[in-house]
Amino acid sequence: MKVVHVSGDFPDTIASFKTPVIKTLVDLTNQDFAHEVFSINRSPTGAFGLSVATLRGNGWPRLTVSSEPFEYGLAISYNAPGRGIFHKSMLDQLGRALANHVISRGEKPDLIIGHKLTIEGLIVSAMSKALGVPYALSIQGDTDTKILQVRRDLKGTFRKIWREARVIFPFSPWSYEAIRSSLGEPGGSVVMLPCATDLDEPMRPVAKGDGLVSVFHLKNWRRKNLNGIAQAVRTMSVNGNAPTVSIIGGGDAKERDACKAIIGDVPGITLVGAVNHPHLKTRMNAATAFILPSRRESFGMVFIEALFAGLPIIYPKGTAVDGYFDNAPFALSVDANSPASIASAMQDTIDNEKSLKRTLAEWQCSADAKRFTRAEIGKTFAKSISGALGGKS
């Protein structure tokens, strides 16, 4: 069975440093299906270019597309203005252009998958209509909820796309609930699909860790809420309980200086720098707990990596992995906007480290933990695609 993926988050020859999440899904199931990827890259249109393109398009900007083959399919560059201007019209045009490309080759896919509702969903909906082929969607909570909130004028369009998808793959429970509450029940099946990481071999927790640890690239310090961590530690230091917090992640001099300014004179917080991915798990295993109270996060693979590395996690309520660990004592949710909430969770992981790690060690051997492994995610993805098309493979 041939599956075409449309994704703006796929490493290609135009932008090689995108997240590998969708690429991993393709790699995990390349023995099950013939995959082809249309990896899309938006090229911004300036004000002058936009006005000229609008005149040429009789009121709508005319799409221009260029492409180049790469290992997984086509790397595509298309012009479109920023800030969501002509959002639907440009993506509709792109969908029709991609459908025409497929038609010109004379071989239709069995399924098209758009890897976000509010961007790629518009593209695959147009492709589906032109080709007469069903489509599926993955849901990335950060982008999808943000665009749904901003583009309320397109709510009806998004609802139609949501309901016509053959299968929905939310990365996390919270994102599904957020979109369902806005758009209603989907028409197709829903399959939770965690993001896969290669650090999914469990390491037994150590009895006594050497402090808390967080992992993020320093350029993302606002989004990852370094300020919230610093304020929480400052609050704890008033009573002489300041923990040590190691921040693992690379960054240039400017980014590092910005983080140092946020930390200021708060005791115990150290910028460790980058750690090679193969060694990250060992470094995390030596800690007491993992903390990342992000302000926005579609999933956050690092939370799963921390759990398999033997660390209790502190995660932001209403985002990231929220909904997966509601009854797990080793996963503590916090209000990312409340330093007091963050501080309370940090103290909890310190005071109850032994018991939290004991229950985590039990979880690592469970079926629930298995669902987050690469092998199981690949099986779930393949089975769901095949099932959506009546068992065809």
Side-chain angles (χ1 to χ4, degrees):
M1 184 168 69
K2 183 167 185 178
V3 179
V4 165
H5 301 259
V6 180
S7 174
D9 302 296
F10 201 100
D12 59 23
T13 50
I14 297 174
S16 61
F17 294 104
K18 300 179 190 176
T19 174
V21 170
I22 308 305
K23 178 179 179 295
T24 299
L25 285 176
V26 171
D27 289 340
L28 288 173
T29 55
N30 62 10
Q31 299 300 315
D32 301 282
F33 309 104
H35 292 292
E36 182 178 19
V37 178
F38 292 157
S39 179
I40 60 172
N41 302 270
R42 183 177 67 85
S43 177
T45 301
F48 176 75
L50 177 61
S51 62
V52 172
T54 303
L55 288 172
R56 289 176 178 171
N58 296 320
W60 299 99
R62 181 178 297 173
L63 182 78
T64 58
V65 179
S66 62
S67 65
E68 55 189 74
F70 77 117
E71 180 184 359
Y72 289 83
L74 280 181
I76 296 161
S77 178
Y78 70 99
N79 69 302
R83 300 184 179 276
I85 300 172
F86 295 113
H87 183 66
K88 181 179 182 299
S89 64
M90 302 305 288
L91 295 178
D92 280 348
Q93 290 180 69
L94 181 55
R96 292 193 297 272
L98 295 180
N100 289 336
H101 171 74
V102 172
I103 291 170
S104 71
R105 300 184 309 186
E107 183 182 351
K108 293 183 182 180
D110 295 282
L111 182 71
I112 311 167
I113 305 180
H115 290 286
K116 278 191 295 292
L117 164 65
T118 53
I119 298 176
E120 290 89 336
L122 290 161
I123 299 170
V124 299
S125 176
M127 292 179 70
S128 174
K129 289 183 179 68
L131 297 172
V133 172
Y135 66 89
L137 299 171
S138 68
I139 300 301
Q140 299 184 34
D142 181 25
T143 299
D144 280 330
T145 56
K146 185 163 53 180
I147 292 179
L148 273 174
Q149 185 176 14
V150 173
R151 294 306 306 265
R152 296 178 183 178
D153 57 313
L154 294 178
K155 186 173 182 178
T157 298
F158 292 137
R159 182 183 291 113
K160 189 172 188 294
I161 295 170
W162 171 252
R163 290 181 176 174
E164 291 181 353
R166 186 68 62 88
V167 60
I168 303 283
F169 295 106
F171 286 169
S172 53
W174 75 267
S175 58
Y176 170 66
E177 291 301 329
I179 293 179
R180 186 178 67 86
S181 67
S182 175
L183 302 181
E185 297 293 335
S189 59
V190 177
V191 180
M192 290 294 158
L193 195 71
C195 297
T197 171
D198 58 352
L199 300 182
D200 60 0
E201 288 290 332
M203 294 180 71
R204 188 168 182 83
V206 300
K208 181 66 176 176
D210 59 6
L212 280 76
V213 65
S214 190
V215 179
F216 58 88
H217 194 285
L218 299 185
K219 68 181 179 182
N220 298 319
W221 64 266
R222 290 185 182 86
R223 180 183 176 127
K224 303 300 183 178
N225 200 12
L226 176 60
N227 189 60
I229 295 174
Q231 289 187 48
V233 174
R234 187 186 298 277
T235 298
M236 298 171 74
S237 69
V238 172
N239 298 320
N241 296 324
T244 59
V245 181
S246 300
I247 308 293
I248 297 175
D252 60 27
K254 184 177 180 181
E255 292 158 351
R256 193 174 181 87
D257 287 345
C259 291
K260 287 180 178 179
I262 292 295
I263 296 168
D265 61 353
V266 177
I269 303 180
T270 305
L271 300 178
V272 175
V275 172
N276 291 335
H277 202 238
H279 300 128
L280 178 60
K281 197 170 180 178
T282 302
R283 177 62 185 84
M284 288 197 290
N285 182 251
T288 302
F290 176 81
I291 177 167
L292 190 64
S294 309
R295 299 194 181 279
R296 298 189 69 92
E297 195 85 65
S298 281
F299 180 77
M301 290 184 292
V302 69
F303 291 104
I304 305 303
E305 293 172 348
L307 290 173
F308 279 118
L311 287 187
I313 60 172
I314 299 172
Y315 67 92
K317 188 173 183 178
T319 187
V321 293
D322 197 18
Y324 278 123
F325 303 103
D326 290 347
N327 299 312
F330 53 79
L332 291 74
S333 65
V334 297
D335 179 353
N337 297 314
S338 169
S341 175
I342 298 170
S344 177
M346 293 168 79
Q347 192 64 56
D348 194 354
T349 60
I350 294 169
D351 293 343
N352 301 297
E353 179 181 4
K354 186 175 181 179
S355 64
L356 294 180
K357 287 185 172 179
R358 183 172 58 248
T359 57
L360 174 56
E362 295 170 356
W363 175 85
Q364 288 179 329
C365 301
S366 70
D368 188 61
K370 185 179 179 182
R371 73 186 294 197
F372 294 99
T373 62
R374 290 164 58 91
E376 197 65 21
I377 290 169
K379 289 178 184 177
T380 299
F381 190 49
K383 182 179 179 180
S384 301
I385 290 174
S386 182
L389 296 175
K392 185 178 178 181
S393 63

